[in-house]
């Protein structure tokens, strides 16, 4: 319920993606938002108002002369009651009208009369999107402070393929949730490691650690929501990349270290969440080791580089944040690790909760002492960690 209590005015314009707006309303309601739908006349040719009324639980408005609003001020009342006005799908025609300040139907009038932010998710044929007139209109809208969601790239209803698809309802929800988060890391660049590493024994076997990557991915999402430019260096996990985060996939600890060192100079913050394998086989076999008795009796191991310690030891390190997953004596071991790696903040957790869950319990350790974060979903904890990071950045 990450949009609990939020009031969303949703404009739907005429385009085949209007059918996805029905799913969008369902997801908004599921996240706790209240949704007031306004449709253009063209949109009603694709989906009927009854569909949106059933999903939102509220009457749908299509006409600025609608007698259901007693004072006939639908164009003012509907957006004044909203925290945000979202238009999805937003057709080329609608965007052109808004760019020029036209107000010849209920939705464009709502846009002009609003006192809340406007977010638009364009949906149109790729050539309409690339047309110089649309390009000019989009530039005007961006200049006017309108937030653009997408468009995406891929197959289009007309049979063509290219840029112009409405982004998926799930992505629109992610952008909306981000919209309401405080921009504590605006303008900052954050580099994060997440997931396990995999150290090959032979082409099909290896040494790895138990790690779902969920905490690291949640931190990447929370940092991005807070306005940071986020790069996520990820070991092998099966998680989707958070919206607006650039992900670099790696496998071994040495690949992870190379990817981190390549990018760290531009980073303000480095958060090492990855469960890096401490050791790797000294000489991985080039071919699969057979079960015929020819396998070596022992696998010789060599120590992996400590990525976090290496970054913290750079001449001008970013603000470094480490993790300490311990099975006992959390405070003692976490503080010891913080001092050994010379980092300002370490995040401790006891691992008896198991791996791969959606919730966690953390304690933050820094120069000011301990800050316990009670059990909560990982994304909530990640947002609290981001808030702490923002405080430490201020103090730097
Ligand atoms: O030393 P230890 O593995 O217990 O420390 C955990 C912290 O150090 C985590 O933040 C982890 O991401 C980071 N780490 C690392 N490179 C390693 C081992 C751990 O960055 N080789």
């Amino acid at each position: 319920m990450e949009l609990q209590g939020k009031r969303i005015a949703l404009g739907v314009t005429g385009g085949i993606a209007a059918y996805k707006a029905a799913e969008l309303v369902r997801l908004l309601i599921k996240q706790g938002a209240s949704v007031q739908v306004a449709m253009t006349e063209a949109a009603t040719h694709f989906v009927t108002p009854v569909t949106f009324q059933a999903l939102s639980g509220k009457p749908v408005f299509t006409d600025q002369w609608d007698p259901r609003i007693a004072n006939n001020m639908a164009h003012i009342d509907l957006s004044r009651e909203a925290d945000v006005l979202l238009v999805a799908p937003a057709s080329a025609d609608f965007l052109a009208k808004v760019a020029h300040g036209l107000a010849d139907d209920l939705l464009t009038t709502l846009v002009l009369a609003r006192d809340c932010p406007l977010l638009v998710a364009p949906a149109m044929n790729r050539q309409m999107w690339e047309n110089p007139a649309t390009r000019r209109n989009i530039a005007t809208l961006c200049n006017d402070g309108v937030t653009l969601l997408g468009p995406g790239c891929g197959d289009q209803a007309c049979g063509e393929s290219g840029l112009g698809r409405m982004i998926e309802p799930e992505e629109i929800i992610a952008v909306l949730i981000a919209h309401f988060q405080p921009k504590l890391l605006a303008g900052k660049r954050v580099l994060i490691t997440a997931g396990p590493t995999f150290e090959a024994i032979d082409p099909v076997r290896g040494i790895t650690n138990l790690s779902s990557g969920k905490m690291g991915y949640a931190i990447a999402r929370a940092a991005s929501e807070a306005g940071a430019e986020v790069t996520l260096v990820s070991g092998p996990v099966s998680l989707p990349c958070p919206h607006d985060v650039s992900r670099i996939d790696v496998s071994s600890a040495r690949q992870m270290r190379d990817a981190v060192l390549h990018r760290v100079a531009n980073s303000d913050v480095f958060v090492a969440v990855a469960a890096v394998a401490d050791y790797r086989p000294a000489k991985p076999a080039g071919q699969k080791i057979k079960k015929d008795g020819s396998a070596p009796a022992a696998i010789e191991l060599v120590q992996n580089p400590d990525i976090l310690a290496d970054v913290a030891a750079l001449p001008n390190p970013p603000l470094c944040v480490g993790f300490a997953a311990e099975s006992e004596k959390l405070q003692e071991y976490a503080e010891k690790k913080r001092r050994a790696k010379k980092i300002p903040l370490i995040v401790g957790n006891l691992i008896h909760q198991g791996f791969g869950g959606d919730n966690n319990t953390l304690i933050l350790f820094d120069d000011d002492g301990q800050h316990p974060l009670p059990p909560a979903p990982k994304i909530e904890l990640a947002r609290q960690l981001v808030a702490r990071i923002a405080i430490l950045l201020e103090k730097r």
Side-chain angles (χ1 to χ4, degrees):
M1 297 285 255
E2 297 198 67
L3 293 170
Q4 184 70 46
K6 300 294 183 224
R7 298 161 308 170
I8 315 292
L10 174 66
V12 183
T13 73
I16 185 59
Y19 84 92
K20 290 193 182 174
E23 174 66 359
L24 178 60
V25 174
R26 196 185 69 80
L27 294 175
L28 286 167
I29 298 287
K30 209 171 139 196
Q31 291 288 350
S34 71
V35 185
Q36 173 61 66
V37 177
M39 304 173 75
T40 62
E41 203 270 329
T44 63
H45 291 274
F46 292 90
V47 186
T48 72
V50 178
T51 304
F52 289 109
Q53 179 166 344
L55 290 165
S56 67
K58 286 191 181 175
V60 170
F61 291 90
T62 56
D63 179 4
Q64 74 209 97
W65 314 117
D66 195 315
R68 285 174 297 179
I69 297 227
N71 62 4
N72 237 326
M73 291 286 170
H75 64 290
I76 293 183
D77 291 353
L78 295 184
S79 65
R80 289 291 157 79
E81 286 158 8
D83 295 310
V84 70
L85 173 54
L86 165 69
V87 181
S91 66
D93 174 66
F94 166 80
L95 295 170
K97 283 180 181 167
V98 176
H100 290 85
L102 297 185
D104 63 353
D105 65 3
L106 174 63
L107 187 56
T108 47
T109 317
L110 267 177
V111 168
L112 211 57
R114 78 186 191 282
D115 60 1
C116 62
L118 172 63
L119 280 63
V120 297
M124 65 195 73
N125 163 273
R126 68 178 176 86
Q127 258 165 346
M128 293 172 84
W129 175 252
E130 281 158 20
N131 189 290
T134 306
R135 308 262 36 85
R136 272 197 309 276
N137 294 334
I138 293 294
T140 303
L141 292 172
C142 291
N143 209 26
D144 289 349
V146 175
T147 302
L148 210 61
L149 283 58
C153 195
D155 292 341
Q156 303 199 309
C158 51
E160 296 179 10
S161 184
L163 208 56
R165 279 168 61 95
M166 186 173 89
I167 61 168
E168 295 303 324
E170 290 79 5
E171 284 179 83
I172 296 178
I173 296 287
V175 176
L176 265 186
I177 292 170
H179 172 82
F180 290 110
Q181 296 304 319
K183 303 298 165 215
L184 298 172
L185 297 180
K188 302 291 181 201
R189 277 172 296 205
V190 178
L191 183 63
I192 299 169
T193 64
T197 64
F198 182 88
E199 314 296 332
I201 293 172
D202 71 13
V204 295
R205 304 180 182 93
I207 298 173
T208 188
N209 276 332
L210 276 177
S211 168
S212 67
K214 284 183 178 175
M215 195 64 228
Y217 275 58
I219 293 166
R221 185 181 145 195
S224 170
E225 287 176 347
E229 193 184 305
V230 181
T231 304
L232 179 61
V233 179
S234 176
V237 295
S238 52
L239 293 173
C241 185
H243 184 78
D244 245 2
V245 166
S246 79
R247 182 171 86 181
I248 293 136
D249 288 316
V250 296
S251 181
S252 68
R254 285 185 298 172
Q255 286 170 358
M256 186 173 272
R257 180 179 183 272
D258 289 349
V260 165
L261 291 182
H262 190 65
R263 288 160 184 88
V264 75
N266 290 325
S267 305
D268 301 291
V269 181
F270 175 56
V271 191
V273 197
V276 183
D278 290 328
Y279 294 93
R280 66 177 184 276
K283 293 185 203 82
Q287 302 298 332
K288 185 177 171 188
I289 299 169
K290 304 304 289 179
K291 205 167 52 175
D292 58 5
S294 65
I299 298 172
E300 189 194 337
L301 298 176
V302 288
Q303 200 163 339
N304 267 329
D306 189 316
I307 305 167
L308 177 56
D310 287 354
V311 171
L314 289 171
N316 245 329
L319 183 100
C320 286
V321 181
F323 267 70
E326 305 293 343
S327 58
E328 58 167 352
K329 299 184 189 162
L330 179 60
Q331 183 180 348
E332 182 188 329
Y333 290 156
E335 271 298 352
K336 203 168 151 190
K337 219 167 264 186
R338 190 168 86 88
R339 278 192 299 274
K341 301 200 190 213
K342 299 192 176 70
I343 54 175
L345 172 61
I346 197 153
V347 183
N349 75 306
L350 281 169
I351 54 179
H352 56 230
Q353 292 189 329
F355 291 93
D358 290 323
N359 297 308
N360 212 344
T361 309
L362 302 176
I363 304 179
L364 312 187
F365 299 88
D366 61 19
D367 285 345
D368 293 337
Q370 291 184 33
H371 313 272
L373 307 183
K378 285 180 176 170
I379 183 63
E380 263 315 308
L381 296 169
R383 289 184 186 133
Q384 292 175 54
L385 173 62
V386 159
R388 191 73 213 158
I389 289 172
I391 291 172
L392 294 183
L393 275 176
E394 282 275 302
K395 284 188 183 173
R396 267 192 137 195

